[in-house]
Amino acid sequence: RHLRRLRVNAVRTLEIDSSEALLAMVADGAGWAITTPLCLLQGRTHAPRIAVVPLPRPSAERTFYVVGRSNEHERTVGVFAGIARKILKQDAEAKIRHLWPWIRSAVSTVGATNHPSMDGQD
């Protein structure tokens, strides 16, 4: 989608579901890939053998959601969302920024909520 916005017509040769496999193939010389910071983190064992560069603007973004049924364990879903956000903020962001310092401004954890217990607090 991002490439289409930039009017780049790249031919797809492979689609890989595993971040580890994707980065291993790139590290072994199979070509290049577009991926997300979390996928980079999952395949970080290959970091010394790959070059990571940002995509040209407009930038792409990824949003994660914790989903639960209405009126069923809503408080627990909110607590899980808060825990997930803390893990992403304190662990994943720090590791990504350590491996690729230029990515500092591109990775952030936003705490938007629509439920009072989303922060894990009442």
Side-chain angles (χ1 to χ4, degrees):
R1 194 175 332 157
H2 184 72
L3 292 177
R4 280 194 305 267
R5 280 193 305 231
L6 297 171
R7 299 188 197 298
V8 173
N9 185 18
V11 177
R12 291 183 188 186
T13 54
L14 289 172
E15 290 187 33
I16 300 170
D17 290 333
S18 162
S19 301
E20 177 68 27
L22 174 76
L23 294 178
M25 290 181 71
V26 170
D28 288 341
W32 57 273
I34 295 175
T35 191
T36 66
L38 282 178
C39 290
L40 289 171
L41 186 58
Q42 287 175 325
R44 68 185 171 272
T45 57
H46 303 287
R49 298 181 6 207
I50 61 173
V52 179
V53 295
L55 290 171
R57 299 276 181 211
S59 62
E61 67 180 48
R62 173 81 62 184
T63 304
F64 295 97
Y65 300 93
V66 175
V67 180
R69 289 189 288 235
S70 295
N71 301 317
E72 186 175 313
H73 306 295
E74 286 183 27
R75 191 179 198 111
T76 304
V77 171
V79 170
F80 289 153
I83 292 168
R85 188 171 30 263
K86 274 186 185 169
I87 290 169
L88 286 171
K89 181 97 178 139
Q90 295 172 356
D91 188 45
E93 278 187 37
K95 287 178 181 173
I96 290 167
R97 290 174 176 163
H98 173 74
L99 291 167
W100 301 284
W102 62 264
I103 229 167
R104 288 183 195 279
S105 63
V107 176
S108 67
T109 305
V110 181
T113 66
N114 65 353
H115 191 276
S117 63
M118 291 294 274
D119 291 324
Q121 301 170 6
D122 296 335

